[in-house]
Amino acid sequence: MDKSGYQAAILYVVCHMGLIFFLYPSDLFTAMDMGHWIGIGISYALHAAALFLYLKGLAWTSRKNVIDMFRSAGALFAWLLLVPVFVYFGIAIIITLRAYSEMLTLVFLSSTPLWAIQLLLIGIAFLMAWQGMASMARTGVLLAILFTFPILFVLCLSFQNVDWYYLLPIIDHEQTFRFLIKPDFLVSLFVYAGGFFFLGLLPASIHISIKKMMLGCLLLLPMFLLSVYLPLLTFGQATAEMYEFPMLMTIDTVNITWLLFDRITIFFLLSLMAFALLYLGVTLWVLLTLTKRAVPVIPNIYLLIVLTAGLFAISMAIPNWDFLKKLQGWIIPLRMYVFLVVPLITFIIGWRHKHKTSRATEVT
Amino acid sequence: MNKSEMNNPHMDSPAKPCKAIKLILLLVAAVPLLAGCWDNKDINHRSLPVIMGISLTEENQYKVYLDIPATNETSSVSIVSETGDTINEIIDDISMNMETQVDLLHLKIVIADKRIARRGMEDIISAFNRSRDISAKTLFAISDQPLDQFFSEMQAKSEQSGSIIYDYFEKNAGWNPQLADTRVWQLFRSIHSYTHDVIVPIIRSGVSTSIECTGSAIIKNGRMTGQIGTDETLVANAFYGKSAFGKIEVMDSATVQITSNRLTHQSWLKDGKPYLRSHLRLKVTILDSRGHPTEAQINEKLEELLTLRLNKLFRKTQKEQADILALGQYFRKHLTREQLQEWRSGYYPNLDFKLSVTTVIENRGNLKNL
């Protein structure tokens, strides 16, 4: 059996799993009143298309990374294209760091100060990024093996309180697509946007197979749906939109008498936190790789320390939850850029590259 | 460092011990962190209440009772109470005056006074949902008698075990289908949902048993608006699909036990008036019979009885505009969201609801004949 390509695909799935279940449902509930599946469907289709374009573009240039590809179109061009990416991922780390530590204090570390959790999270991400991509890819496989079972177990049990009638009405008679430009909806695209950029920076030792990536992408579709529909079917839209973390509340309502543990939320949360840590590590590594190419003279480890310290300081400086929400609103253009424009440019450059090489072979 | 080593191009051996020492130092430095807890309090410095009672004082303040199972052997339950303006303030006060910290992580049941239930409990329920340590699946009950009295009788009776009330409600211990089973998150949902109200058990301390259930309270938007009996609660539970092992006495002829139930619905809207036809299929086994009724007779009487009870229940809730059977859910496909907001006031009172019951006698126990 061909085993190449699994590491990258698993890493991709794991990074997204760490993101989907936390901020996404709440954003979508604020954005849409009904017909949630339309919103999920559209953004998922965009995601799959972007992923495909990105991978195809990369494949055509025969495993050059994104930076080299953009550079082939001119150094200034590359700077212009990659600086927004850098900023976006910096903010993405800050948001993840801050939001997840808030969530951890909310669910079970109520007396631990925020800075301690943030320090722990970014510390682990730092160690991961330091060890490099190869070790992170292996960690991804290990995490997937360890935590798939608890996550599936919890997801199955959380159907306990569903009321299928909340599924109705499946479609509104006057369904419009106005939600597509609502800020809340655009904020919810957070989970779709940043999780695949790292594929363009993978070292040659980690093989990418487009087929396996698309299979991994298919695997994510039920997860997107579950993360929204489980809370919706349990609470109904009117109640679900009041919760900051609807998915965690849903799991909190599960009552199993035969299980030794009182609340299964913690299993779910910790499994997904491990995934989220990997996402943080991968994103930090993306930032490191980008910075390294911009300023090649400074050794990796110093760059990483500076980056980590800077991100930690900024995430500490965020005063409150509302500001975090606003921050997510402000980076909407950047998010759309990373989500849609970057894959498109990659595709175009890859396509031109392919044509150039085929013409070159014709001439010779 | 000698000369031969200096000439060695692959000279990395001197670096190794240094690296190892650094690593060991780092690991030693991490030892204090190994406890892994922040501001942790040992279990023996915590009080873990199982039951919380909330009532109103004359001055409209909350009075909170906490039932804390004791960890020592002399007493089994201690009950503490305090008054104040908000629940959290009271808990804090209690915590301050006790030698241990009150930790609501394992709170199982919240009992509200009837007065407070009638006045409205939206604030309390929202506070529970906002709370970081109260579980969303904490049970809710309403006390028929003043909580002072309830808790003092509870304390007197709980000499052997501190978890009587908890066991009373627990599905794998004392719970019966005649008891409503409503959790804090369901109450919260009912406050915000357009189509979903709940029932909550009403309890009091019993004469020979420790607790008695006197029926269920109808809770609409967090306020108790009416009351139903235990028989009606059983029917409501049958409607929710939670009635397995419930026993029904069929007048003068038999007692049957429900083994399973299945519901189908047909709903439509005509000229803005909602119509609902539901069909309840019950499988029952016969527990005892008086005289020698035939199966058909039992079936007929049972169906009649259940239809009657359910209709009575339905009329009552319809009058109070409290949709405890969540019948509005079946109209989700006919009404828009704006219309659903009006469900309780605009549509539910006009609902034409007919229930037909079919019972199937699964078996007659060990005896062939009735």
Side-chain angles (χ1 to χ4, degrees):
Chain A
M1 205 173 80
D2 180 26
K3 281 208 180 75
S4 65
Y6 274 115
Q7 276 193 340
I10 288 175
L11 201 55
Y12 159 82
V13 172
V14 162
C15 280
H16 278 90
M17 287 288 285
L19 292 176
I20 293 172
F21 290 96
F22 300 118
L23 299 172
Y24 184 56
S26 153
D27 288 337
L28 204 72
F29 285 134
T30 2
M32 302 181 79
D33 271 351
M34 45 182 144
H36 300 82
W37 60 274
I38 303 173
I40 301 172
I42 291 176
S43 26
Y44 177 79
L46 282 176
H47 172 80
L51 179 70
F52 183 75
L53 288 182
Y54 189 59
L55 290 175
K56 204 74 194 163
L58 282 172
W60 275 334
T61 46
S62 54
R63 298 287 312 164
K64 253 200 236 174
N65 66 32
V66 189
I67 307 175
D68 290 329
M69 278 177 72
F70 286 5
R71 275 213 170 156
S72 67
L76 184 70
F77 187 64
W79 273 93
L80 276 180
L81 284 180
L82 289 174
V83 164
V85 175
F86 181 83
V87 176
Y88 175 73
F89 281 109
I91 298 178
I93 289 191
I94 291 164
I95 291 172
T96 320
L97 206 61
R98 181 69 189 218
Y100 283 34
S101 48
E102 294 258 4
M103 182 183 62
L104 286 175
T105 58
L106 210 67
V107 178
F108 66 107
L109 296 174
S110 48
S111 61
T112 313
L114 271 180
W115 67 264
I117 303 175
Q118 287 183 41
L119 190 66
L120 180 75
L121 294 184
I122 201 151
I124 295 172
F126 168 79
L127 286 176
M128 283 189 184
W130 185 18
Q131 297 305 315
M133 191 33 118
S135 89
M136 272 193 286
R138 287 195 298 272
T139 314
V141 177
L142 181 70
L143 291 183
I145 295 170
L146 285 177
F147 295 122
T148 307
F149 177 70
I151 289 176
L152 289 181
F153 176 75
V154 173
L155 282 179
C156 292
L157 285 174
S158 39
F159 276 95
Q160 193 189 46
N161 290 315
V162 300
D163 179 347
W164 291 102
Y165 283 96
Y166 277 120
L167 206 60
L168 300 167
I170 282 194
I171 190 159
D172 186 11
H173 299 299
E174 294 126 31
Q175 181 70 46
T176 58
F177 289 94
R178 218 175 301 144
F179 69 86
L180 284 176
I181 48 164
K182 260 182 147 181
D184 288 310
F185 182 76
L186 296 173
V187 165
S188 81
L189 295 178
F190 178 66
V191 294
Y192 296 98
F196 58 81
F197 182 77
F198 77 91
L199 293 168
L201 299 174
L202 287 183
S205 58
I206 301 174
H207 182 68
I208 299 176
S209 135
I210 294 189
K211 203 176 129 201
K212 276 166 198 152
M213 291 303 301
M214 293 325 275
L215 273 177
C217 185
L218 204 63
L219 207 69
L220 285 180
L221 180 62
M223 297 301 161
F224 284 118
L225 288 170
L226 278 181
S227 77
V228 173
Y229 273 93
L230 272 175
L232 184 74
L233 293 178
T234 310
F235 298 116
Q237 164 74 25
T239 312
E241 70 182 3
M242 309 194 73
Y243 290 124
E244 205 69 76
F245 297 103
M247 190 65 199
L248 294 180
M249 283 310 283
T250 311
I251 297 169
D252 237 6
T253 64
V254 175
N255 189 26
I256 325 166
T257 44
W258 49 266
L259 201 69
L260 181 64
F261 303 95
D262 195 33
R263 290 194 206 181
I264 51 171
T265 322
I266 297 199
F267 289 98
F268 187 72
L269 189 65
L270 290 184
S271 310
L272 289 179
M273 266 325 283
F275 289 3
L277 280 174
L278 194 70
Y279 170 76
L280 281 176
V282 167
T283 317
L284 201 57
W285 177 84
V286 167
L287 288 184
L288 175 69
T289 319
L290 290 177
T291 333
K292 178 73 188 165
R293 291 301 292 266
V295 269
V297 279
I298 309 172
N300 261 346
I301 178 73
Y302 296 118
L303 274 182
L304 191 60
I305 289 173
V306 169
L307 273 176
T308 315
L311 289 172
F312 178 66
I314 299 173
S315 71
M316 283 305 300
I318 290 176
N320 53 25
W321 187 258
D322 283 337
F323 186 82
L324 197 72
K325 289 263 163 201
K326 268 190 228 147
L327 185 66
Q328 278 177 303
W330 290 334
I331 60 164
I332 286 172
L334 280 179
R335 179 176 303 126
M336 296 314 283
Y337 169 75
V338 173
F339 182 27
L340 299 173
V341 181
V342 169
L344 203 64
I345 296 176
T346 316
F347 182 76
I348 294 169
I349 295 179
W351 191 72
R352 280 182 49 194
H353 182 89
K354 183 190 146 205
H355 276 245
K356 228 184 270 171
T357 42
S358 61
R359 233 177 289 143
T361 42
E362 271 169 34
V363 171
T364 52
Chain B
M1 204 181 290
N2 61 37
K3 213 179 168 199
S4 64
E5 266 179 358
M6 290 266 286
N7 292 337
N8 185 357
H10 306 289
M11 185 207 65
D12 49 3
S13 49
K16 259 188 185 164
C18 177
K19 212 174 181 180
I21 288 168
K22 267 190 202 161
L23 205 66
I24 289 168
L25 279 178
L26 195 73
L27 287 178
V28 170
V31 167
L33 299 174
L34 281 180
C37 299
W38 195 280
D39 285 350
N40 63 327
K41 274 207 171 93
D42 282 343
I43 188 97
N44 48 344
H45 294 140
R46 287 170 187 267
S47 302
L48 301 163
V50 209
I51 302 157
M52 181 196 275
I54 304 170
S55 70
L56 274 182
T57 62
E58 298 296 318
E59 295 85 44
N60 261 341
Q61 278 188 315
Y62 291 126
K63 182 166 188 188
V64 169
Y65 301 78
L66 291 178
D67 175 313
I68 306 168
T71 39
N72 58 359
E73 287 177 6
T74 46
S75 69
S76 65
V77 159
S78 60
I79 285 165
V80 288
S81 66
E82 191 77 53
T83 51
D85 287 319
T86 66
I87 309 273
N88 273 302
E89 181 206 322
I90 300 167
I91 305 281
D92 223 41
D93 265 5
I94 294 177
S95 212
M96 179 181 79
N97 294 332
M98 278 178 73
E99 66 282 11
T100 51
Q101 192 198 10
V102 174
D103 187 337
L104 297 177
L105 202 67
H106 291 275
L107 192 73
K108 296 291 178 205
I109 297 150
V110 176
I111 301 175
D113 187 40
K114 211 170 178 177
R115 234 184 92 212
I116 214 170
R118 286 202 186 281
R119 212 191 62 161
M121 304 174 289
E122 194 183 336
D123 296 340
I124 303 176
I125 292 159
S126 299
F128 283 154
N129 261 279
R130 189 173 285 126
S131 159
R132 295 166 179 219
D133 38 26
I134 297 177
S135 168
K137 55 187 191 209
T138 310
L139 275 161
F140 211 90
I142 286 171
S143 162
D144 209 11
Q145 63 194 134
L147 283 180
D148 262 335
Q149 202 186 336
F150 180 82
F151 276 104
S152 63
E153 285 186 31
M154 239 354 76
Q155 192 168 23
K157 276 173 187 155
S158 59
E159 272 156 16
Q160 307 86 17
S161 145
S163 60
I164 295 179
I165 304 187
Y166 176 45
D167 286 342
Y168 183 76
F169 285 106
E170 198 51 21
K171 278 261 168 61
N172 52 2
W175 188 78
N176 257 47
Q178 276 89 344
L179 264 178
D181 169 52
T182 302
R183 317 256 156 187
V184 164
W185 68 267
Q186 284 168 317
L187 273 164
F188 187 67
R189 176 174 74 178
S190 84
I191 291 173
H192 300 284
S193 171
Y194 308 143
T195 53
H196 222 315
D197 285 304
V198 287
I199 47 175
V200 159
I202 301 179
I203 53 173
R204 57 183 300 130
S205 56
V207 182
S208 58
T209 55
S210 17
I211 306 172
E212 251 173 32
C213 178
T214 57
S216 306
I218 299 171
I219 308 276
K220 181 196 169 190
N221 285 338
R223 274 184 54 231
M224 174 174 167
T225 57
Q227 192 170 343
I228 57 175
T230 48
D231 289 344
E232 288 160 308
T233 310
L234 177 71
V235 185
N237 270 334
F239 210 84
Y240 301 144
K242 284 198 283 200
S243 71
F245 308 114
K247 296 177 182 79
I248 304 172
E249 196 189 303
V250 187
M251 358 159 194
D252 315 326
S253 52
T255 301
V256 296
Q257 183 177 31
I258 302 171
T259 55
S260 74
N261 52 353
R262 211 158 69 86
L263 263 170
T264 47
H265 306 277
Q266 200 191 348
S267 61
W268 70 92
L269 213 65
K270 203 176 146 194
D271 302 330
K273 187 179 150 99
Y275 292 84
L276 183 68
R277 300 285 174 267
S278 295
H279 189 179
L280 177 65
R281 275 188 207 90
L282 282 183
K283 280 191 175 169
V284 296
T285 66
I286 292 176
L287 295 179
D288 61 314
S289 67
R290 260 160 269 164
H292 292 280
T294 62
E295 248 178 54
Q297 276 172 329
I298 292 179
N299 265 339
E300 192 188 330
K301 275 189 177 164
L302 186 58
E303 281 159 22
E304 193 187 305
L305 180 79
L306 283 172
T307 319
L308 202 77
R309 268 192 205 170
L310 209 101
N311 279 335
K312 202 176 131 208
L313 173 67
F314 171 67
R315 300 269 172 270
K316 192 183 263 170
T317 61
Q318 201 176 25
K319 211 173 68 201
E320 282 156 13
Q321 302 184 1
D323 190 359
I324 59 164
L325 297 176
L327 299 177
Q329 290 288 76
Y330 308 116
F331 290 91
R332 287 198 155 254
K333 55 177 180 259
H334 304 299
L335 297 171
T336 63
R337 262 184 92 71
E338 287 75 42
Q339 286 171 315
L340 275 174
Q341 284 183 358
E342 315 272 294
W343 168 256
R344 283 189 186 116
S345 53
Y347 294 89
Y348 188 57
N350 301 323
L351 176 66
D352 184 325
F353 175 54
K354 294 236 162 55
L355 180 89
S356 51
V357 182
T358 319
T359 53
V360 176
I361 294 177
E362 179 92 9
N363 57 42
R364 292 168 218 93
N366 254 335
L367 299 177
K368 278 182 188 168
N369 299 319
L370 288 169

